[in-house]
Amino acid sequence: MEVQDFEKLFQDRIDAEIKIEPKDWMPDAYRKTNIRQISQHAHSEVVGMLPEGNWISRAPSLKRKAILLAKVQDEAGHGLYLYSAAETLGMSRDEMVEQLLTGKAKYSSIFNYPTLTWADMGAVGWLVDGAAILNQVMLCRTSYGPYARAMVRICKEESFHQRQGFEVLLVLSQGTPEQKAMCQDAINRWWWPSLMMFGPKDSESTNSDQSMKWKIKRKTNDELRQQFVDMCVEQVKVLGMTLPDKDLKWNEQRRHYDFGEINWDEFWAVVKGNGPCNKQRLDARNKAHTEGAWVREAAMAHAEKKKNKQLQKVA
Amino acid sequence: MKAYIIKYLYGDYGEIEGGGSSASPQHQWPLWEIFIRSKQGLDHKHAGSLHAADAQMAIENARDVYTRRMEGVSIWVVESKHITASNPDEAGELYEPAMDKVYRHPTFYDLPDEVGHM
Ligand SMILES: [Fe+2]
Ligand SMILES: [Fe+2]
Protein backbone atom coordinates (compact mmCIF):
# COMPACT_ATOMS: atom_id res chain seq x y z
CA MET A 1 0.00 0.00 0.00
CA GLU A 2 1.09 3.53 -0.78
CA VAL A 3 1.19 6.30 1.84
CA GLN A 4 -1.79 7.93 0.13
CA ASP A 5 -3.80 4.75 0.67
CA PHE A 6 -2.94 4.77 4.36
CA GLU A 7 -3.94 8.40 4.57
CA LYS A 8 -7.22 7.66 2.87
CA LEU A 9 -7.95 4.78 5.26
CA PHE A 10 -7.00 7.00 8.16
CA GLN A 11 -9.35 9.78 7.05
CA ASP A 12 -12.14 7.26 6.47
CA ARG A 13 -11.84 6.10 10.05
CA ILE A 14 -11.91 9.69 11.32
CA ASP A 15 -14.97 10.44 9.19
CA ALA A 16 -16.66 7.33 10.58
CA GLU A 17 -15.97 8.64 14.12
CA ILE A 18 -13.64 5.74 14.90
CA LYS A 19 -11.03 6.82 17.46
CA ILE A 20 -7.34 6.57 16.68
CA GLU A 21 -5.35 4.57 19.24
CA PRO A 22 -1.60 4.73 19.99
CA LYS A 23 -0.44 1.78 17.88
CA ASP A 24 -2.58 2.65 14.85
CA TRP A 25 -1.00 4.07 11.72
CA MET A 26 -1.32 7.87 11.59
CA PRO A 27 0.13 10.62 9.39
CA ASP A 28 3.26 12.22 10.84
CA ALA A 29 1.61 15.61 10.96
CA TYR A 30 -1.32 14.19 12.93
CA ARG A 31 1.10 12.76 15.48
CA LYS A 32 3.07 16.01 15.66
CA THR A 33 0.03 18.21 15.99
CA ASN A 34 -1.33 16.05 18.78
CA ILE A 35 1.99 15.92 20.62
CA ARG A 36 2.28 19.68 20.45
CA GLN A 37 -1.28 20.37 21.46
CA ILE A 38 -1.50 17.80 24.25
CA SER A 39 1.86 18.71 25.76
CA GLN A 40 1.01 22.43 25.60
CA HIS A 41 -2.22 21.63 27.32
CA ALA A 42 -0.34 19.65 30.00
CA HIS A 43 2.11 22.52 30.54
CA SER A 44 -0.85 24.88 30.98
CA GLU A 45 -2.29 22.72 33.75
CA VAL A 46 1.08 22.65 35.50
CA VAL A 47 1.91 26.35 35.18
CA GLY A 48 -1.73 27.10 36.00
CA MET A 49 -1.05 25.90 39.54
CA LEU A 50 1.28 28.84 40.18
CA PRO A 51 -1.10 31.85 40.24
CA GLU A 52 -3.50 29.99 42.54
CA GLY A 53 -0.90 28.20 44.64
CA ASN A 54 0.24 31.67 45.54
CA TRP A 55 -3.06 32.22 47.41
CA ILE A 56 -3.41 28.96 49.33
CA SER A 57 -1.74 30.27 52.47
CA ARG A 58 -3.57 33.61 52.21
CA ALA A 59 -7.11 32.37 51.55
CA PRO A 60 -9.51 34.00 54.05
CA SER A 61 -10.64 30.87 55.89
CA LEU A 62 -9.69 27.26 56.49
CA LYS A 63 -12.56 26.20 54.24
CA ARG A 64 -11.31 28.36 51.38
CA LYS A 65 -7.75 27.09 51.90
CA ALA A 66 -8.92 23.49 51.70
CA ILE A 67 -10.97 24.20 48.56
CA LEU A 68 -8.12 25.99 46.82
CA LEU A 69 -5.68 23.26 47.78
CA ALA A 70 -8.02 20.63 46.32
CA LYS A 71 -8.39 22.61 43.11
CA VAL A 72 -4.65 23.08 42.66
CA GLN A 73 -4.14 19.37 43.33
CA ASP A 74 -6.68 18.60 40.61
CA GLU A 75 -4.71 20.72 38.15
CA ALA A 76 -1.57 18.72 38.92
CA GLY A 77 -3.57 15.59 38.14
CA HIS A 78 -4.78 17.11 34.87
CA GLY A 79 -1.18 17.78 33.92
CA LEU A 80 -0.38 14.14 34.58
CA TYR A 81 -3.31 12.75 32.54
CA LEU A 82 -2.25 14.90 29.61
CA TYR A 83 1.47 14.17 29.79
CA SER A 84 0.58 10.47 29.81
CA ALA A 85 -1.61 10.91 26.74
CA ALA A 86 1.21 12.72 24.92
CA GLU A 87 3.67 10.01 25.91
CA THR A 88 1.62 7.42 24.04
CA LEU A 89 2.59 9.29 20.86
CA GLY A 90 6.27 8.72 21.45
CA MET A 91 7.60 11.77 23.22
CA SER A 92 9.22 11.13 26.61
CA ARG A 93 8.12 12.95 29.74
CA ASP A 94 11.64 14.28 30.25
CA GLU A 95 11.62 15.79 26.79
CA MET A 96 8.34 17.56 27.43
CA VAL A 97 9.48 18.88 30.79
CA GLU A 98 12.68 20.07 29.18
CA GLN A 99 10.71 21.95 26.51
CA LEU A 100 8.65 23.68 29.16
CA LEU A 101 11.61 24.61 31.33
CA THR A 102 13.64 26.03 28.46
CA GLY A 103 10.71 28.02 27.11
CA LYS A 104 10.67 26.09 23.84
CA ALA A 105 7.12 24.90 24.44
CA LYS A 106 4.22 27.21 25.14
CA TYR A 107 1.52 27.12 27.78
CA SER A 108 -1.68 29.11 28.00
CA SER A 109 -0.86 32.82 28.20
CA ILE A 110 -3.55 33.43 30.76
CA PHE A 111 -1.20 32.21 33.46
CA ASN A 112 1.20 35.03 32.71
CA TYR A 113 -1.17 37.46 34.41
CA PRO A 114 -0.80 38.16 38.15
CA THR A 115 -3.35 37.25 40.84
CA LEU A 116 -3.43 40.43 42.88
CA THR A 117 -6.34 40.05 45.31
CA TRP A 118 -8.46 37.31 46.82
CA ALA A 119 -11.21 38.18 44.33
CA ASP A 120 -8.85 37.00 41.60
CA MET A 121 -9.32 33.44 42.89
CA GLY A 122 -12.99 33.87 42.16
CA ALA A 123 -12.45 35.43 38.75
CA VAL A 124 -9.93 32.76 37.76
CA GLY A 125 -12.30 29.95 38.73
CA TRP A 126 -15.28 31.49 37.01
CA LEU A 127 -13.66 32.91 33.86
CA VAL A 128 -10.40 31.03 33.32
CA ASP A 129 -11.65 27.58 34.29
CA GLY A 130 -14.91 28.46 32.58
CA ALA A 131 -13.15 29.20 29.30
CA ALA A 132 -11.00 26.11 29.65
CA ILE A 133 -14.07 23.94 30.24
CA LEU A 134 -15.69 24.97 26.95
CA ASN A 135 -12.57 23.85 25.13
CA GLN A 136 -12.26 20.68 27.17
CA VAL A 137 -15.86 19.63 26.68
CA MET A 138 -15.25 19.86 22.94
CA LEU A 139 -12.05 17.85 23.31
CA CYS A 140 -13.88 14.97 25.02
CA ARG A 141 -14.79 14.05 21.43
CA THR A 142 -11.36 14.57 19.91
CA SER A 143 -10.22 11.84 17.51
CA TYR A 144 -7.17 10.62 19.42
CA GLY A 145 -8.38 8.08 21.99
CA PRO A 146 -5.98 8.72 24.90
CA TYR A 147 -6.50 12.49 24.61
CA ALA A 148 -10.28 12.10 24.59
CA ARG A 149 -10.20 9.81 27.63
CA ALA A 150 -7.97 12.23 29.54
CA MET A 151 -10.45 14.98 28.73
CA VAL A 152 -13.44 13.03 30.00
CA ARG A 153 -11.63 12.51 33.29
CA ILE A 154 -10.66 16.18 33.47
CA CYS A 155 -14.14 17.47 32.66
CA LYS A 156 -15.59 15.46 35.54
CA GLU A 157 -13.28 17.33 37.89
CA GLU A 158 -13.51 20.79 36.34
CA SER A 159 -17.03 21.81 37.14
CA PHE A 160 -16.27 22.23 40.83
CA HIS A 161 -13.45 24.60 39.86
CA GLN A 162 -15.77 26.95 38.07
CA ARG A 163 -18.50 26.74 40.68
CA GLN A 164 -16.20 27.44 43.61
CA GLY A 165 -14.83 30.48 41.73
CA PHE A 166 -18.26 31.83 41.03
CA GLU A 167 -19.22 31.31 44.67
CA VAL A 168 -16.16 33.27 45.83
CA LEU A 169 -17.35 36.18 43.67
CA LEU A 170 -20.95 35.76 44.79
CA VAL A 171 -19.97 36.10 48.45
CA LEU A 172 -17.88 39.19 47.68
CA SER A 173 -20.68 40.69 45.58
CA GLN A 174 -22.94 40.59 48.63
CA GLY A 175 -20.32 42.00 50.98
CA THR A 176 -19.04 45.43 52.01
CA PRO A 177 -18.53 48.23 49.45
CA GLU A 178 -14.80 47.39 49.47
CA GLN A 179 -15.50 43.73 48.76
CA LYS A 180 -17.88 44.63 45.95
CA ALA A 181 -15.27 46.91 44.43
CA MET A 182 -12.65 44.16 44.70
CA CYS A 183 -15.02 41.76 42.93
CA GLN A 184 -15.64 44.17 40.05
CA ASP A 185 -11.95 44.98 39.77
CA ALA A 186 -11.01 41.30 39.42
CA ILE A 187 -13.66 40.79 36.73
CA ASN A 188 -12.37 43.87 34.90
CA ARG A 189 -8.80 42.58 34.86
CA TRP A 190 -9.58 38.96 33.93
CA TRP A 191 -12.28 39.47 31.32
CA TRP A 192 -10.15 40.35 28.30
CA PRO A 193 -7.32 37.89 28.98
CA SER A 194 -9.99 35.18 29.32
CA LEU A 195 -11.34 36.03 25.87
CA MET A 196 -7.79 35.77 24.55
CA MET A 197 -7.58 32.20 25.87
CA PHE A 198 -9.47 31.04 22.78
CA GLY A 199 -6.59 32.12 20.58
CA PRO A 200 -6.41 34.24 17.43
CA LYS A 201 -9.43 35.00 15.26
CA ASP A 202 -10.46 32.38 12.68
CA SER A 203 -9.82 34.93 9.92
CA GLU A 204 -6.14 35.02 10.91
CA SER A 205 -5.66 31.57 9.47
CA THR A 206 -4.42 31.03 5.96
CA ASN A 207 -4.29 27.28 5.52
CA SER A 208 -7.19 24.94 5.19
CA ASP A 209 -8.15 23.65 8.55
CA GLN A 210 -6.47 20.32 8.94
CA SER A 211 -7.16 20.09 12.67
CA MET A 212 -10.89 20.26 12.04
CA LYS A 213 -10.66 17.73 9.23
CA TRP A 214 -8.83 15.34 11.53
CA LYS A 215 -11.39 16.09 14.23
CA ILE A 216 -8.70 16.98 16.71
CA LYS A 217 -10.83 20.11 17.15
CA ARG A 218 -14.52 20.36 16.46
CA LYS A 219 -15.13 24.06 17.01
CA THR A 220 -13.18 27.09 15.91
CA ASN A 221 -11.69 29.71 18.22
CA ASP A 222 -14.39 32.22 17.35
CA GLU A 223 -17.20 29.74 17.91
CA LEU A 224 -15.92 28.86 21.37
CA ARG A 225 -15.27 32.51 22.23
CA GLN A 226 -18.82 33.47 21.25
CA GLN A 227 -20.22 30.64 23.34
CA PHE A 228 -18.21 31.91 26.29
CA VAL A 229 -19.36 35.52 25.90
CA ASP A 230 -23.01 34.51 25.64
CA MET A 231 -22.68 32.44 28.79
CA CYS A 232 -20.87 35.03 30.88
CA VAL A 233 -23.17 37.93 30.01
CA GLU A 234 -26.00 36.08 31.71
CA GLN A 235 -23.95 34.87 34.66
CA VAL A 236 -22.50 38.28 35.52
CA LYS A 237 -26.05 39.54 36.12
CA VAL A 238 -26.36 37.10 39.02
CA LEU A 239 -23.37 38.80 40.57
CA GLY A 240 -24.82 42.24 40.00
CA MET A 241 -21.52 43.16 38.34
CA THR A 242 -20.64 44.23 34.81
CA LEU A 243 -18.27 43.06 32.08
CA PRO A 244 -15.77 45.76 31.03
CA ASP A 245 -16.88 46.07 27.40
CA LYS A 246 -19.02 48.98 26.21
CA ASP A 247 -19.67 47.25 22.87
CA LEU A 248 -21.36 44.28 24.47
CA LYS A 249 -24.83 44.13 22.95
CA TRP A 250 -27.43 41.51 22.04
CA ASN A 251 -27.64 41.02 18.30
CA GLU A 252 -31.11 39.83 17.42
CA GLN A 253 -30.08 38.79 13.92
CA ARG A 254 -27.16 36.63 14.97
CA ARG A 255 -28.90 35.55 18.17
CA HIS A 256 -25.59 36.16 19.93
CA TYR A 257 -23.97 38.97 21.85
CA ASP A 258 -21.72 41.31 19.89
CA PHE A 259 -18.57 42.26 21.75
CA GLY A 260 -15.65 44.65 21.42
CA GLU A 261 -12.31 44.13 19.74
CA ILE A 262 -9.64 42.23 21.63
CA ASN A 263 -6.28 43.93 22.04
CA TRP A 264 -4.30 41.61 19.78
CA ASP A 265 -1.04 43.47 20.33
CA GLU A 266 -1.27 42.57 23.98
CA PHE A 267 -2.17 38.99 23.06
CA TRP A 268 0.93 38.53 20.88
CA ALA A 269 3.19 40.34 23.34
CA VAL A 270 2.22 37.88 26.09
CA VAL A 271 2.55 34.88 23.74
CA LYS A 272 6.03 36.05 22.78
CA GLY A 273 7.11 36.19 26.41
CA ASN A 274 6.46 39.80 27.35
CA GLY A 275 3.47 39.39 29.62
CA PRO A 276 3.48 40.61 33.21
CA CYS A 277 4.58 37.26 34.70
CA ASN A 278 6.19 35.16 31.92
CA LYS A 279 9.62 35.28 33.49
CA GLN A 280 8.35 34.75 37.02
CA ARG A 281 6.36 31.64 36.01
CA LEU A 282 9.23 30.04 34.14
CA ASP A 283 11.65 30.84 36.94
CA ALA A 284 9.29 29.27 39.48
CA ARG A 285 8.97 26.09 37.40
CA ASN A 286 12.73 25.87 36.94
CA LYS A 287 13.37 26.45 40.62
CA ALA A 288 10.89 23.74 41.63
CA HIS A 289 12.39 21.32 39.12
CA THR A 290 15.97 21.95 40.22
CA GLU A 291 15.14 21.78 43.91
CA GLY A 292 13.23 18.55 43.38
CA ALA A 293 16.13 16.81 41.63
CA TRP A 294 17.45 15.19 44.80
CA VAL A 295 14.01 13.75 45.57
CA ARG A 296 13.77 12.13 42.17
CA GLU A 297 17.26 10.70 42.49
CA ALA A 298 16.78 9.52 46.06
CA ALA A 299 13.53 7.75 45.21
CA MET A 300 15.22 5.91 42.36
CA ALA A 301 18.21 4.96 44.53
CA HIS A 302 15.87 3.73 47.26
CA ALA A 303 13.88 1.66 44.76
CA GLU A 304 17.04 0.07 43.40
CA LYS A 305 18.34 -0.73 46.87
CA LYS A 306 15.06 -2.40 47.76
CA LYS A 307 15.13 -4.43 44.56
CA ASN A 308 18.67 -5.62 45.20
CA LYS A 309 17.79 -6.66 48.74
CA GLN A 310 14.91 -8.69 47.42
CA LEU A 311 17.13 -10.34 44.80
CA GLN A 312 19.65 -11.27 47.49
CA LYS A 313 16.90 -12.84 49.58
CA VAL A 314 15.79 -14.94 46.62
CA ALA A 315 19.34 -16.06 45.82
CA MET B 1 4.43 15.57 3.05
CA LYS B 2 1.34 17.61 3.79
CA ALA B 3 1.57 21.35 4.28
CA TYR B 4 2.40 22.35 7.82
CA ILE B 5 -0.58 23.39 9.86
CA ILE B 6 -0.55 27.00 10.88
CA LYS B 7 -4.15 27.52 11.76
CA TYR B 8 -4.27 28.38 15.42
CA LEU B 9 -7.01 26.84 17.48
CA TYR B 10 -7.82 27.33 21.12
CA GLY B 11 -4.66 28.40 22.84
CA ASP B 12 -2.33 26.81 20.32
CA TYR B 13 0.34 29.38 19.58
CA GLY B 14 2.80 27.04 17.97
CA GLU B 15 6.33 26.60 19.17
CA ILE B 16 8.70 29.48 19.47
CA GLU B 17 12.06 28.77 17.93
CA GLY B 18 15.25 28.42 19.86
CA GLY B 19 15.17 27.93 23.58
CA GLY B 20 17.54 25.49 25.11
CA SER B 21 19.23 22.24 24.27
CA SER B 22 17.45 19.07 23.29
CA ALA B 23 16.54 16.81 26.16
CA SER B 24 19.46 15.37 28.06
CA PRO B 25 19.05 11.69 28.83
CA GLN B 26 18.07 11.67 32.47
CA HIS B 27 17.31 8.88 34.83
CA GLN B 28 13.57 8.91 34.27
CA TRP B 29 11.32 6.96 36.64
CA PRO B 30 9.76 3.96 34.89
CA LEU B 31 6.23 4.16 33.51
CA TRP B 32 3.41 2.17 35.15
CA GLU B 33 -0.07 1.29 33.92
CA ILE B 34 -2.78 1.74 36.52
CA PHE B 35 -5.90 -0.43 36.88
CA ILE B 36 -8.67 0.50 39.29
CA ARG B 37 -11.56 -1.51 40.71
CA SER B 38 -14.26 1.11 41.19
CA LYS B 39 -16.31 -1.03 43.59
CA GLN B 40 -16.45 -4.54 44.98
CA GLY B 41 -17.78 -6.95 42.40
CA LEU B 42 -16.44 -5.13 39.35
CA ASP B 43 -13.32 -5.78 37.27
CA HIS B 44 -10.20 -3.67 37.49
CA LYS B 45 -10.23 -1.24 34.60
CA HIS B 46 -7.37 0.64 32.97
CA ALA B 47 -7.35 4.18 34.36
CA GLY B 48 -4.15 5.65 32.93
CA SER B 49 -0.45 5.65 33.54
CA LEU B 50 2.16 7.42 35.64
CA HIS B 51 5.85 7.43 36.44
CA ALA B 52 7.08 6.05 39.76
CA ALA B 53 10.33 4.73 41.16
CA ASP B 54 8.79 1.42 42.25
CA ALA B 55 5.50 -0.45 42.61
CA GLN B 56 4.73 0.89 46.07
CA MET B 57 5.18 4.46 44.91
CA ALA B 58 3.10 3.74 41.81
CA ILE B 59 0.22 2.62 44.04
CA GLU B 60 0.52 5.67 46.26
CA ASN B 61 0.66 8.05 43.31
CA ALA B 62 -2.24 6.24 41.66
CA ARG B 63 -4.27 6.74 44.82
CA ASP B 64 -3.47 10.46 44.72
CA VAL B 65 -4.34 11.04 41.09
CA TYR B 66 -6.97 8.45 40.24
CA THR B 67 -9.00 7.98 43.42
CA ARG B 68 -9.34 11.47 44.91
CA ARG B 69 -13.12 11.24 44.69
CA MET B 70 -13.56 7.67 45.86
CA GLU B 71 -13.30 6.27 42.34
CA GLY B 72 -11.63 3.11 43.56
CA VAL B 73 -11.44 0.41 46.22
CA SER B 74 -8.49 -1.50 44.79
CA ILE B 75 -5.48 -0.64 42.62
CA TRP B 76 -3.29 -2.80 40.37
CA VAL B 77 -0.07 -1.42 38.95
CA VAL B 78 2.12 -3.02 36.31
CA GLU B 79 5.21 -1.65 34.71
CA SER B 80 4.29 -0.64 31.15
CA LYS B 81 7.21 -2.53 29.61
CA HIS B 82 5.66 -5.81 30.75
CA ILE B 83 2.54 -5.30 28.67
CA THR B 84 2.47 -6.96 25.27
CA ALA B 85 -0.13 -5.53 22.93
CA SER B 86 -1.59 -7.02 19.78
CA ASN B 87 -0.70 -5.31 16.54
CA PRO B 88 -3.57 -3.32 15.02
CA ASP B 89 -2.21 -3.99 11.53
CA GLU B 90 -2.84 -7.69 12.11
CA ALA B 91 -6.34 -7.15 13.44
CA GLY B 92 -7.77 -8.60 10.22
CA GLU B 93 -6.17 -12.02 10.56
CA LEU B 94 -6.37 -12.00 14.33
CA TYR B 95 -10.14 -11.59 14.55
CA GLU B 96 -11.04 -13.21 11.22
CA PRO B 97 -11.87 -16.62 12.82
CA ALA B 98 -14.71 -15.00 14.75
CA MET B 99 -16.28 -13.30 11.73
CA ASP B 100 -17.97 -16.23 9.97
CA LYS B 101 -19.33 -18.11 12.96
CA VAL B 102 -22.78 -16.63 13.29
CA TYR B 103 -23.98 -19.92 14.82
CA ARG B 104 -22.22 -18.82 18.02
CA HIS B 105 -24.98 -16.29 18.57
CA PRO B 106 -28.39 -17.23 19.98
CA THR B 107 -30.21 -15.27 17.27
CA PHE B 108 -28.92 -17.76 14.66
CA TYR B 109 -31.54 -20.30 15.76
CA ASP B 110 -35.14 -19.99 14.60
CA LEU B 111 -37.47 -21.52 17.18
CA PRO B 112 -41.29 -21.49 17.35
CA ASP B 113 -42.82 -18.85 19.60
CA GLU B 114 -44.34 -21.58 21.83
CA VAL B 115 -40.87 -22.28 23.20
CA GLY B 116 -41.10 -19.01 25.05
CA HIS B 117 -38.09 -17.21 26.36
CA MET B 118 -34.96 -19.29 25.91
FE1 LIG C 1 -7.50 21.70 34.79
FE1 LIG D 1 -9.46 23.76 36.58
Side-chain angles (χ1 to χ4, degrees):
Chain A
M1 264 202 311
E2 302 281 309
V3 176
Q4 290 91 311
D5 299 330
F6 278 114
E7 284 189 356
K8 164 106 183 37
L9 279 176
F10 178 81
Q11 190 61 50
D12 288 347
R13 296 185 72 182
I14 301 262
D15 293 342
E17 298 291 338
I18 296 171
K19 297 276 185 232
I20 306 304
E21 294 295 343
K23 294 186 85 182
D24 294 340
W25 185 90
M26 61 186 88
D28 270 351
Y30 178 85
R31 183 183 300 276
K32 261 180 137 165
T33 306
N34 264 300
I35 288 180
R36 190 178 72 189
Q37 191 183 314
I38 301 170
S39 64
Q40 263 179 193
H41 198 156
H43 298 327
S44 302
E45 301 285 350
V46 168
V47 177
M49 288 190 278
L50 296 170
E52 289 181 299
N54 156 35
W55 274 94
I56 292 172
S57 61
R58 294 182 288 161
S61 65
L62 187 59
K63 179 183 106 178
R64 292 292 178 192
K65 283 186 175 71
I67 291 171
L68 198 54
L69 195 61
K71 178 180 190 291
V72 171
Q73 196 188 6
D74 274 355
E75 306 300 5
H78 298 175
L80 173 86
Y81 307 154
L82 288 160
Y83 280 130
S84 301
E87 279 174 281
T88 64
L89 288 161
M91 185 181 254
S92 77
R93 180 80 60 93
D94 279 355
E95 230 173 317
M96 287 186 265
V97 171
E98 172 93 8
Q99 285 192 346
L100 170 64
L101 295 178
T102 55
K104 186 168 186 287
K106 304 255 87 182
Y107 54 85
S108 181
S109 275
I110 193 76
F111 302 117
N112 290 319
Y113 288 85
T115 42
L116 303 177
T117 71
W118 168 247
D120 287 25
M121 292 303 97
V124 166
W126 175 41
L127 297 173
V128 176
D129 287 80
I133 288 170
L134 288 186
N135 180 50
Q136 288 166 342
V137 166
M138 165 190 77
L139 288 171
C140 286
R141 295 172 57 235
T142 192
S143 59
Y144 186 56
Y147 193 19
R149 291 192 286 275
M151 279 300 130
V152 169
R153 202 172 279 283
I154 287 174
C155 282
K156 276 189 199 148
E157 302 184 352
E158 279 294 347
S159 79
F160 121 69
H161 297 181
Q162 194 185 16
R163 289 173 68 96
Q164 65 84 35
F166 194 81
E167 196 208 21
V168 165
L169 294 181
L170 194 61
V171 170
L172 289 172
S173 75
Q174 295 160 353
T176 63
E178 287 83 359
Q179 288 171 327
K180 285 181 186 169
M182 192 163 88
C183 179
Q184 183 64 61
D185 167 65
I187 295 170
N188 290 349
R189 280 183 292 106
W190 287 95
W191 174 247
W192 290 105
S194 299
L195 290 191
M196 293 177 200
M197 281 177 74
F198 298 96
K201 278 203 261 196
D202 295 349
S203 56
E204 295 294 295
S205 69
T206 47
N207 280 21
S208 73
D209 195 354
Q210 189 69 70
S211 266
M212 295 284 265
K213 199 172 152 229
W214 278 334
K215 296 189 180 168
I216 297 174
K217 308 280 194 167
R218 288 167 183 270
K219 284 180 183 174
T220 69
N221 292 354
D222 286 341
E223 282 172 318
L224 287 167
R225 188 163 19 236
Q226 183 68 61
Q227 202 184 338
F228 181 70
V229 170
D230 291 347
M231 190 179 82
C232 292
V233 173
E234 297 306 321
Q235 291 168 347
V236 79
K237 291 178 191 163
V238 180
L239 296 174
M241 299 281 146
T242 56
L243 296 173
D245 180 357
K246 58 176 174 26
D247 298 323
L248 212 51
K249 195 169 84 240
W250 177 251
N251 183 326
E252 186 58 39
Q253 250 176 354
R254 294 199 308 125
R255 315 255 346 133
H256 286 296
Y257 280 92
D258 289 335
F259 53 97
E261 187 64 22
I262 288 168
N263 181 349
W264 294 109
D265 292 339
E266 176 184 324
F267 172 81
W268 287 112
V270 183
V271 168
K272 291 188 176 117
N274 300 316
C277 301
N278 294 59
K279 189 174 162 357
Q280 194 184 325
R281 300 293 184 235
L282 220 49
D283 287 351
R285 273 320 308 156
N286 272 288
K287 183 165 176 277
H289 190 74
T290 310
E291 289 177 354
W294 72 271
V295 181
R296 294 191 294 278
E297 279 158 28
M300 208 57 226
H302 177 69
E304 252 148 46
K305 207 168 115 188
K306 246 182 14 192
K307 199 158 75 186
N308 289 338
K309 252 194 201 151
Q310 228 159 28
L311 286 177
Q312 270 171 10
K313 243 193 241 162
V314 174
Chain B
M1 198 56 231
K2 284 279 157 61
Y4 190 63
I5 301 144
I6 58 168
K7 177 164 175 87
Y8 297 108
L9 283 143
Y10 183 87
D12 181 11
Y13 319 129
E15 280 172 47
I16 47 171
E17 282 318 309
S21 58
S22 58
S24 51
Q26 284 172 3
H27 202 42
Q28 184 167 274
W29 288 349
L31 189 65
W32 300 76
E33 298 303 321
I34 312 300
F35 300 83
I36 309 260
R37 184 202 295 289
S38 59
K39 69 179 212 213
Q40 293 294 108
L42 294 182
D43 290 324
H44 284 78
K45 191 171 163 235
H46 187 239
S49 46
L50 50 78
H51 289 272
D54 60 17
Q56 190 53 39
M57 186 188 203
I59 287 181
E60 282 159 17
N61 289 355
R63 179 211 47 198
D64 289 346
V65 283
Y66 293 113
T67 66
R68 283 200 301 282
R69 290 175 174 82
M70 299 184 300
E71 295 98 331
V73 294
S74 164
I75 301 174
W76 285 353
V77 300
V78 57
E79 224 183 306
S80 310
K81 68 176 182 196
H82 296 310
I83 290 187
T84 310
S86 63
N87 183 350
D89 297 337
E90 290 160 9
E93 304 99 89
L94 200 59
Y95 305 114
E96 194 276 327
M99 304 279 252
D100 58 354
K101 296 181 180 59
V102 279
Y103 46 84
R104 281 181 171 154
H105 298 277
T107 45
F108 179 75
Y109 304 92
D110 253 338
L111 298 183
D113 289 347
E114 297 86 81
V115 178
H117 184 74
M118 183 185 274

